[in-house]
Amino acid sequence: MHKHRLCNLLLLYVLLGGSGKLCFAGDFCSWKGSGLSWDSHSRAVEQVNLRCTEGSLEWMYPTRALRVILEPNLVISKHNIVCIKPYSQFQGANIYVEKSRALHLLVSEGDLVPKVHCFGTESFQRTSLFLQASPQKDLGRRTAGFQYKLLKNHGSGPIFQKFRLGEDACRPCDNDAVLMAVCRSDFVVRGSIKSVTHDKESNISWVDINAVRVYRQRKSIFQPDTSTGTWTGPIRTLLQCGVKKGEGNFLFTGSEHFGDAWLGCAPRYKDFLQIYQTAKKLKVNPCDFQT
């Protein structure tokens, strides 16, 4: 069947619920359910409303279809980017995103390497996903699960590199971006690069660092090493950015998403000190930083 025709039929199935009905599963930040609990004679599409800016969904033994509405309970929320990270053992369904009254494939059951999928939204208030169960010959354990996160793309400053498109993905930070990164990043760490590993299959580079000081971190990604008195932890960045091991101390900043640290601005520490001290003398530093 032609791809666009399939998408239109799936969308019609979602909107009409097969028999003209939708079965609502409730409002949650996260949801876990099983297709085995559904009425085998019903053609209704079960609908799940997720009301938070981040959470997860776990659909065991996928059957027929599941509609997922991302609709955070924030009146002034301006989240215009949605990111989905499938579980490492994602099986049993494909994920589509509804846009302009059509379904677009986002995650395929056949994807060999799970990766973060991000897309812009048409509405700040509501985004619809559609999980279509794949045909199964047996009742073997399959789980179509993912984490989700809603983000704001400010258009400037430190933005999670996975969400920056094209030539912006690896653009060096100017002085203003460095100062904002120190103020707004999820983590700010001073240290040196221990090693860099490139993974061509996932299109990601891993930067392992030895940190002499952790100024801020949202989650415990950087852990203390009692034998050396330093902190260690991995930072991710895109392979296309061509990160190499450099000597000296850096100030690493960036965002934390789905439990991973992603590199934002990373000036040499001595260069950052000069930028910060100049801005402080001119009284244009956006926040105070303990140097």
Side-chain angles (χ1 to χ4, degrees), residues 248-287:
N249 283 323
F250 297 83
L251 190 68
F252 300 98
T253 69
S255 301
E256 297 178 13
H257 297 280
F258 302 116
D260 300 320
W262 287 86
L263 185 64
C265 299
R268 291 187 179 276
Y269 185 66
K270 62 180 181 64
D271 295 334
F272 162 74
L273 287 178
Q274 184 176 0
I275 295 171
Y276 177 76
Q277 289 167 359
T278 299
K280 193 170 184 179
K281 287 180 181 179
L282 297 174
K283 296 183 179 181
V284 295
N285 53 307
C287 68

mmCIF file of all heavy atoms in Angstrom, residues 248-287:
data_model
loop_
_atom_site.group_PDB
_atom_site.id
_atom_site.type_symbol
_atom_site.label_atom_id
_atom_site.label_comp_id
_atom_site.label_asym_id
_atom_site.label_seq_id
_atom_site.Cartn_x
_atom_site.Cartn_y
_atom_site.Cartn_z
ATOM 1 N N GLY A 248 44.878 20.877 28.573
ATOM 2 C CA GLY A 248 44.504 22.008 29.410
ATOM 3 C C GLY A 248 43.134 21.853 30.035
ATOM 4 O O GLY A 248 42.454 20.838 29.876
ATOM 5 N N ASN A 249 42.734 22.894 30.760
ATOM 6 C CA ASN A 249 41.458 22.900 31.471
ATOM 7 C C ASN A 249 40.394 23.632 30.657
ATOM 8 O O ASN A 249 40.658 24.673 30.051
ATOM 9 C CB ASN A 249 41.600 23.575 32.833
ATOM 10 C CG ASN A 249 42.273 22.672 33.853
ATOM 11 O OD1 ASN A 249 42.040 21.465 33.857
ATOM 12 N ND2 ASN A 249 43.095 23.257 34.704
ATOM 13 N N PHE A 250 39.184 23.079 30.683
ATOM 14 C CA PHE A 250 38.053 23.663 29.976
ATOM 15 C C PHE A 250 36.916 23.883 30.958
ATOM 16 O O PHE A 250 36.854 23.260 32.029
ATOM 17 C CB PHE A 250 37.572 22.735 28.855
ATOM 18 C CG PHE A 250 38.587 22.500 27.765
ATOM 19 C CD1 PHE A 250 39.584 21.534 27.919
ATOM 20 C CD2 PHE A 250 38.536 23.233 26.589
ATOM 21 C CE1 PHE A 250 40.510 21.299 26.917
ATOM 22 C CE2 PHE A 250 39.461 23.009 25.577
ATOM 23 C CZ PHE A 250 40.452 22.044 25.740
ATOM 24 N N LEU A 251 35.999 24.753 30.582
ATOM 25 C CA LEU A 251 34.762 24.913 31.330
ATOM 26 C C LEU A 251 33.656 24.298 30.476
ATOM 27 O O LEU A 251 33.219 24.860 29.477
ATOM 28 C CB LEU A 251 34.466 26.382 31.606
ATOM 29 C CG LEU A 251 33.310 26.637 32.590
ATOM 30 C CD1 LEU A 251 33.699 26.168 33.995
ATOM 31 C CD2 LEU A 251 32.933 28.110 32.625
ATOM 32 N N PHE A 252 33.232 23.107 30.864
ATOM 33 C CA PHE A 252 32.225 22.367 30.100
ATOM 34 C C PHE A 252 30.829 22.773 30.571
ATOM 35 O O PHE A 252 30.542 22.745 31.773
ATOM 36 C CB PHE A 252 32.408 20.861 30.286
ATOM 37 C CG PHE A 252 33.745 20.345 29.837
ATOM 38 C CD1 PHE A 252 34.768 20.138 30.756
ATOM 39 C CD2 PHE A 252 33.981 20.067 28.501
ATOM 40 C CE1 PHE A 252 36.003 19.651 30.351
ATOM 41 C CE2 PHE A 252 35.213 19.580 28.081
ATOM 42 C CZ PHE A 252 36.221 19.375 29.009
ATOM 43 N N THR A 253 29.983 23.140 29.641
ATOM 44 C CA THR A 253 28.592 23.449 29.950
ATOM 45 C C THR A 253 27.698 22.671 28.987
ATOM 46 O O THR A 253 28.161 22.184 27.946
ATOM 47 C CB THR A 253 28.295 24.947 29.802
ATOM 48 O OG1 THR A 253 28.354 25.309 28.407
ATOM 49 C CG2 THR A 253 29.296 25.792 30.577
ATOM 50 N N GLY A 254 26.425 22.555 29.322
ATOM 51 C CA GLY A 254 25.523 21.857 28.417
ATOM 52 C C GLY A 254 24.211 21.509 29.075
ATOM 53 O O GLY A 254 23.869 22.016 30.157
ATOM 54 N N SER A 255 23.479 20.633 28.423
ATOM 55 C CA SER A 255 22.140 20.252 28.865
ATOM 56 C C SER A 255 22.094 18.777 29.228
ATOM 57 O O SER A 255 22.855 17.971 28.688
ATOM 58 C CB SER A 255 21.111 20.526 27.764
ATOM 59 O OG SER A 255 21.117 21.889 27.403
ATOM 60 N N GLU A 256 21.209 18.445 30.142
ATOM 61 C CA GLU A 256 20.985 17.053 30.524
ATOM 62 C C GLU A 256 19.625 16.625 30.007
ATOM 63 O O GLU A 256 18.611 17.276 30.289
ATOM 64 C CB GLU A 256 21.047 16.903 32.048
ATOM 65 C CG GLU A 256 22.409 17.255 32.642
ATOM 66 C CD GLU A 256 22.439 17.152 34.160
ATOM 67 O OE1 GLU A 256 21.485 16.576 34.729
ATOM 68 O OE2 GLU A 256 23.390 17.664 34.772
ATOM 69 N N HIS A 257 19.605 15.540 29.224
ATOM 70 C CA HIS A 257 18.367 15.041 28.655
ATOM 71 C C HIS A 257 18.345 13.516 28.721
ATOM 72 O O HIS A 257 19.314 12.867 28.329
ATOM 73 C CB HIS A 257 18.203 15.486 27.204
ATOM 74 C CG HIS A 257 18.094 16.975 27.055
ATOM 75 N ND1 HIS A 257 16.926 17.662 27.289
ATOM 76 C CD2 HIS A 257 19.024 17.902 26.714
ATOM 77 C CE1 HIS A 257 17.131 18.943 27.089
ATOM 78 N NE2 HIS A 257 18.385 19.118 26.745
ATOM 79 N N PHE A 258 17.263 12.971 29.248
ATOM 80 C CA PHE A 258 17.079 11.527 29.356
ATOM 81 C C PHE A 258 18.237 10.880 30.107
ATOM 82 O O PHE A 258 18.680 9.794 29.782
ATOM 83 C CB PHE A 258 16.924 10.899 27.985
ATOM 84 C CG PHE A 258 15.780 11.448 27.178
ATOM 85 C CD1 PHE A 258 16.005 12.117 25.992
ATOM 86 C CD2 PHE A 258 14.477 11.302 27.632
ATOM 87 C CE1 PHE A 258 14.945 12.632 25.258
ATOM 88 C CE2 PHE A 258 13.415 11.815 26.898
ATOM 89 C CZ PHE A 258 13.653 12.481 25.708
ATOM 90 N N GLY A 259 18.774 11.595 31.103
ATOM 91 C CA GLY A 259 19.853 11.056 31.909
ATOM 92 C C GLY A 259 21.234 11.157 31.285
ATOM 93 O O GLY A 259 22.199 10.611 31.829
ATOM 94 N N ASP A 260 21.361 11.864 30.159
ATOM 95 C CA ASP A 260 22.649 12.019 29.488
ATOM 96 C C ASP A 260 23.046 13.487 29.465
ATOM 97 O O ASP A 260 22.194 14.376 29.402
ATOM 98 C CB ASP A 260 22.582 11.504 28.040
ATOM 99 C CG ASP A 260 22.218 10.031 27.969
ATOM 100 O OD1 ASP A 260 22.721 9.259 28.820
ATOM 101 O OD2 ASP A 260 21.453 9.645 27.070
ATOM 102 N N ALA A 261 24.352 13.740 29.515
ATOM 103 C CA ALA A 261 24.876 15.098 29.417
ATOM 104 C C ALA A 261 25.275 15.378 27.976
ATOM 105 O O ALA A 261 25.999 14.585 27.366
ATOM 106 C CB ALA A 261 26.088 15.266 30.345
ATOM 107 N N TRP A 262 24.809 16.506 27.423
ATOM 108 C CA TRP A 262 25.122 16.908 26.053
ATOM 109 C C TRP A 262 25.891 18.217 26.062
ATOM 110 O O TRP A 262 25.524 19.159 26.748
ATOM 111 C CB TRP A 262 23.836 17.047 25.237
ATOM 112 C CG TRP A 262 23.227 15.729 24.900
ATOM 113 C CD1 TRP A 262 22.373 14.991 25.658
ATOM 114 C CD2 TRP A 262 23.448 14.974 23.707
ATOM 115 N NE1 TRP A 262 22.037 13.827 25.022
ATOM 116 C CE2 TRP A 262 22.672 13.787 23.822
ATOM 117 C CE3 TRP A 262 24.198 15.190 22.543
ATOM 118 C CZ2 TRP A 262 22.651 12.817 22.815
ATOM 119 C CZ3 TRP A 262 24.164 14.231 21.547
ATOM 120 C CH2 TRP A 262 23.407 13.056 21.688
ATOM 121 N N LEU A 263 26.957 18.240 25.300
ATOM 122 C CA LEU A 263 27.884 19.368 25.313
ATOM 123 C C LEU A 263 27.276 20.607 24.682
ATOM 124 O O LEU A 263 26.663 20.555 23.616
ATOM 125 C CB LEU A 263 29.160 18.974 24.561
ATOM 126 C CG LEU A 263 30.299 19.999 24.564
ATOM 127 C CD1 LEU A 263 30.805 20.221 25.991
ATOM 128 C CD2 LEU A 263 31.436 19.526 23.664
ATOM 129 N N GLY A 264 27.435 21.735 25.372
ATOM 130 C CA GLY A 264 27.049 23.026 24.830
ATOM 131 C C GLY A 264 28.296 23.823 24.515
ATOM 132 O O GLY A 264 29.058 23.475 23.612
ATOM 133 N N CYS A 265 28.548 24.881 25.278
ATOM 134 C CA CYS A 265 29.773 25.670 25.113
ATOM 135 C C CYS A 265 30.874 25.087 25.997
ATOM 136 O O CYS A 265 30.614 24.682 27.124
ATOM 137 C CB CYS A 265 29.531 27.121 25.490
ATOM 138 S SG CYS A 265 28.274 27.943 24.480
ATOM 139 N N ALA A 266 32.107 25.055 25.484
ATOM 140 C CA ALA A 266 33.222 24.494 26.256
ATOM 141 C C ALA A 266 34.492 25.291 25.986
ATOM 142 O O ALA A 266 35.440 24.798 25.356
ATOM 143 C CB ALA A 266 33.429 23.020 25.912
ATOM 144 N N PRO A 267 34.550 26.537 26.473
ATOM 145 C CA PRO A 267 35.768 27.333 26.269
ATOM 146 C C PRO A 267 36.893 26.861 27.189
ATOM 147 O O PRO A 267 36.640 26.214 28.215
ATOM 148 C CB PRO A 267 35.311 28.742 26.656
ATOM 149 C CG PRO A 267 34.252 28.500 27.704
ATOM 150 C CD PRO A 267 33.534 27.249 27.259
ATOM 151 N N ARG A 268 38.118 27.176 26.795
ATOM 152 C CA ARG A 268 39.220 26.957 27.737
ATOM 153 C C ARG A 268 38.968 27.836 28.955
ATOM 154 O O ARG A 268 38.486 28.965 28.844
ATOM 155 C CB ARG A 268 40.562 27.296 27.087
ATOM 156 C CG ARG A 268 40.948 26.295 26.000
ATOM 157 C CD ARG A 268 42.352 26.546 25.490
ATOM 158 N NE ARG A 268 42.718 25.569 24.469
ATOM 159 C CZ ARG A 268 43.204 24.363 24.731
ATOM 160 N NH1 ARG A 268 43.405 24.001 25.998
ATOM 161 N NH2 ARG A 268 43.509 23.531 23.764
ATOM 162 N N TYR A 269 39.340 27.329 30.133
ATOM 163 C CA TYR A 269 38.977 28.036 31.352
ATOM 164 C C TYR A 269 39.628 29.423 31.422
ATOM 165 O O TYR A 269 39.005 30.390 31.844
ATOM 166 C CB TYR A 269 39.377 27.204 32.576
ATOM 167 C CG TYR A 269 38.913 27.816 33.875
ATOM 168 C CD1 TYR A 269 37.551 27.918 34.158
ATOM 169 C CD2 TYR A 269 39.822 28.297 34.811
ATOM 170 C CE1 TYR A 269 37.111 28.484 35.348
ATOM 171 C CE2 TYR A 269 39.391 28.858 35.996
ATOM 172 C CZ TYR A 269 38.036 28.963 36.258
ATOM 173 O OH TYR A 269 37.608 29.529 37.423
ATOM 174 N N LYS A 270 40.866 29.508 30.964
ATOM 175 C CA LYS A 270 41.552 30.807 30.998
ATOM 176 C C LYS A 270 40.872 31.808 30.066
ATOM 177 O O LYS A 270 40.801 33.002 30.365
ATOM 178 C CB LYS A 270 43.028 30.653 30.640
ATOM 179 C CG LYS A 270 43.311 30.117 29.253
ATOM 180 C CD LYS A 270 44.803 29.993 29.006
ATOM 181 C CE LYS A 270 45.109 29.477 27.603
ATOM 182 N NZ LYS A 270 44.655 30.409 26.554
ATOM 183 N N ASP A 271 40.346 31.325 28.936
ATOM 184 C CA ASP A 271 39.620 32.212 28.025
ATOM 185 C C ASP A 271 38.296 32.658 28.640
ATOM 186 O O ASP A 271 37.885 33.817 28.498
ATOM 187 C CB ASP A 271 39.361 31.511 26.689
ATOM 188 C CG ASP A 271 40.643 31.211 25.931
ATOM 189 O OD1 ASP A 271 41.644 31.931 26.149
ATOM 190 O OD2 ASP A 271 40.649 30.255 25.133
ATOM 191 N N PHE A 272 37.623 31.716 29.331
ATOM 192 C CA PHE A 272 36.372 32.085 30.000
ATOM 193 C C PHE A 272 36.616 33.154 31.053
ATOM 194 O O PHE A 272 35.837 34.116 31.178
ATOM 195 C CB PHE A 272 35.714 30.868 30.645
ATOM 196 C CG PHE A 272 34.689 31.251 31.674
ATOM 197 C CD1 PHE A 272 33.455 31.770 31.276
ATOM 198 C CD2 PHE A 272 34.964 31.124 33.031
ATOM 199 C CE1 PHE A 272 32.519 32.157 32.226
ATOM 200 C CE2 PHE A 272 34.029 31.511 33.972
ATOM 201 C CZ PHE A 272 32.800 32.025 33.571
ATOM 202 N N LEU A 273 37.685 33.014 31.843
ATOM 203 C CA LEU A 273 37.989 33.998 32.884
ATOM 204 C C LEU A 273 38.133 35.397 32.288
ATOM 205 O O LEU A 273 37.621 36.376 32.834
ATOM 206 C CB LEU A 273 39.262 33.609 33.631
ATOM 207 C CG LEU A 273 39.159 32.426 34.601
ATOM 208 C CD1 LEU A 273 40.516 32.144 35.234
ATOM 209 C CD2 LEU A 273 38.112 32.693 35.675
ATOM 210 N N GLN A 274 38.810 35.485 31.165
ATOM 211 C CA GLN A 274 38.994 36.788 30.516
ATOM 212 C C GLN A 274 37.651 37.358 30.039
ATOM 213 O O GLN A 274 37.370 38.539 30.221
ATOM 214 C CB GLN A 274 39.956 36.652 29.338
ATOM 215 C CG GLN A 274 40.282 37.973 28.661
ATOM 216 C CD GLN A 274 41.312 37.813 27.549
ATOM 217 O OE1 GLN A 274 41.781 36.710 27.288
ATOM 218 N NE2 GLN A 274 41.656 38.915 26.908
ATOM 219 N N ILE A 275 36.817 36.488 29.444
ATOM 220 C CA ILE A 275 35.498 36.924 28.971
ATOM 221 C C ILE A 275 34.635 37.395 30.140
ATOM 222 O O ILE A 275 33.997 38.458 30.084
ATOM 223 C CB ILE A 275 34.787 35.771 28.231
ATOM 224 C CG1 ILE A 275 35.539 35.404 26.956
ATOM 225 C CG2 ILE A 275 33.336 36.141 27.913
ATOM 226 C CD1 ILE A 275 35.035 34.142 26.291
ATOM 227 N N TYR A 276 34.639 36.624 31.221
ATOM 228 C CA TYR A 276 33.792 36.937 32.366
ATOM 229 C C TYR A 276 34.256 38.210 33.072
ATOM 230 O O TYR A 276 33.440 39.068 33.438
ATOM 231 C CB TYR A 276 33.779 35.765 33.338
ATOM 232 C CG TYR A 276 32.975 36.035 34.589
ATOM 233 C CD1 TYR A 276 31.582 36.010 34.560
ATOM 234 C CD2 TYR A 276 33.605 36.327 35.798
ATOM 235 C CE1 TYR A 276 30.836 36.279 35.700
ATOM 236 C CE2 TYR A 276 32.867 36.590 36.942
ATOM 237 C CZ TYR A 276 31.489 36.566 36.888
ATOM 238 O OH TYR A 276 30.759 36.838 38.013
ATOM 239 N N GLN A 277 35.573 38.347 33.285
ATOM 240 C CA GLN A 277 36.083 39.518 33.994
ATOM 241 C C GLN A 277 35.845 40.797 33.209
ATOM 242 O O GLN A 277 35.525 41.841 33.781
ATOM 243 C CB GLN A 277 37.571 39.317 34.291
ATOM 244 C CG GLN A 277 37.811 38.254 35.358
ATOM 245 C CD GLN A 277 39.262 37.818 35.451
ATOM 246 O OE1 GLN A 277 40.119 38.296 34.693
ATOM 247 N NE2 GLN A 277 39.559 36.908 36.381
ATOM 248 N N THR A 278 35.972 40.719 31.880
ATOM 249 C CA THR A 278 35.686 41.884 31.042
ATOM 250 C C THR A 278 34.214 42.271 31.145
ATOM 251 O O THR A 278 33.861 43.448 31.282
ATOM 252 C CB THR A 278 36.048 41.591 29.570
ATOM 253 O OG1 THR A 278 37.437 41.297 29.477
ATOM 254 C CG2 THR A 278 35.715 42.789 28.694
ATOM 255 N N ALA A 279 33.327 41.264 31.078
ATOM 256 C CA ALA A 279 31.891 41.535 31.175
ATOM 257 C C ALA A 279 31.523 42.103 32.544
ATOM 258 O O ALA A 279 30.655 42.988 32.651
ATOM 259 C CB ALA A 279 31.106 40.250 30.905
ATOM 260 N N LYS A 280 32.189 41.627 33.582
ATOM 261 C CA LYS A 280 31.877 42.105 34.930
ATOM 262 C C LYS A 280 32.297 43.560 35.110
ATOM 263 O O LYS A 280 31.589 44.345 35.753
ATOM 264 C CB LYS A 280 32.566 41.212 35.963
ATOM 265 C CG LYS A 280 32.067 41.427 37.382
ATOM 266 C CD LYS A 280 32.595 40.364 38.332
ATOM 267 C CE LYS A 280 31.993 40.546 39.720
ATOM 268 N NZ LYS A 280 32.465 39.505 40.668
ATOM 269 N N LYS A 281 33.444 43.928 34.529
ATOM 270 C CA LYS A 281 33.887 45.321 34.618
ATOM 271 C C LYS A 281 32.912 46.245 33.909
ATOM 272 O O LYS A 281 32.658 47.371 34.351
ATOM 273 C CB LYS A 281 35.287 45.456 34.006
ATOM 274 C CG LYS A 281 36.400 44.864 34.851
ATOM 275 C CD LYS A 281 37.749 45.032 34.173
ATOM 276 C CE LYS A 281 38.868 44.406 35.009
ATOM 277 N NZ LYS A 281 40.201 44.549 34.336
ATOM 278 N N LEU A 282 32.360 45.760 32.794
ATOM 279 C CA LEU A 282 31.395 46.565 32.033
ATOM 280 C C LEU A 282 29.979 46.427 32.578
ATOM 281 O O LEU A 282 29.051 47.062 32.065
ATOM 282 C CB LEU A 282 31.419 46.139 30.561
ATOM 283 C CG LEU A 282 32.749 46.352 29.817
ATOM 284 C CD1 LEU A 282 32.671 45.761 28.419
ATOM 285 C CD2 LEU A 282 33.089 47.844 29.757
ATOM 286 N N LYS A 283 29.808 45.571 33.597
ATOM 287 C CA LYS A 283 28.516 45.315 34.231
ATOM 288 C C LYS A 283 27.490 44.782 33.229
ATOM 289 O O LYS A 283 26.315 45.155 33.253
ATOM 290 C CB LYS A 283 27.998 46.576 34.912
ATOM 291 C CG LYS A 283 28.883 47.053 36.053
ATOM 292 C CD LYS A 283 28.293 48.274 36.754
ATOM 293 C CE LYS A 283 29.193 48.704 37.893
ATOM 294 N NZ LYS A 283 28.637 49.897 38.619
ATOM 295 N N VAL A 284 27.951 43.887 32.375
ATOM 296 C CA VAL A 284 27.057 43.262 31.398
ATOM 297 C C VAL A 284 27.012 41.755 31.588
ATOM 298 O O VAL A 284 26.435 41.035 30.741
ATOM 299 C CB VAL A 284 27.480 43.607 29.950
ATOM 300 C CG1 VAL A 284 27.324 45.077 29.685
ATOM 301 C CG2 VAL A 284 28.905 43.126 29.673
ATOM 302 N N ASN A 285 27.600 41.230 32.677
ATOM 303 C CA ASN A 285 27.529 39.790 32.922
ATOM 304 C C ASN A 285 26.107 39.420 33.331
ATOM 305 O O ASN A 285 25.519 40.066 34.214
ATOM 306 C CB ASN A 285 28.524 39.375 33.999
ATOM 307 C CG ASN A 285 28.390 40.182 35.283
ATOM 308 O OD1 ASN A 285 28.411 41.408 35.229
ATOM 309 N ND2 ASN A 285 28.260 39.494 36.416
ATOM 310 N N PRO A 286 25.488 38.421 32.696
ATOM 311 C CA PRO A 286 24.090 38.081 32.988
ATOM 312 C C PRO A 286 23.888 37.446 34.350
ATOM 313 O O PRO A 286 22.754 37.401 34.848
ATOM 314 C CB PRO A 286 23.722 37.101 31.869
ATOM 315 C CG PRO A 286 25.033 36.526 31.420
ATOM 316 C CD PRO A 286 26.049 37.612 31.604
ATOM 317 N N CYS A 287 24.938 36.938 34.976
ATOM 318 C CA CYS A 287 24.837 36.381 36.331
ATOM 319 C C CYS A 287 26.223 36.372 36.942
ATOM 320 O O CYS A 287 27.239 36.546 36.257
ATOM 321 C CB CYS A 287 24.254 34.960 36.294
ATOM 322 S SG CYS A 287 25.356 33.732 35.521
#
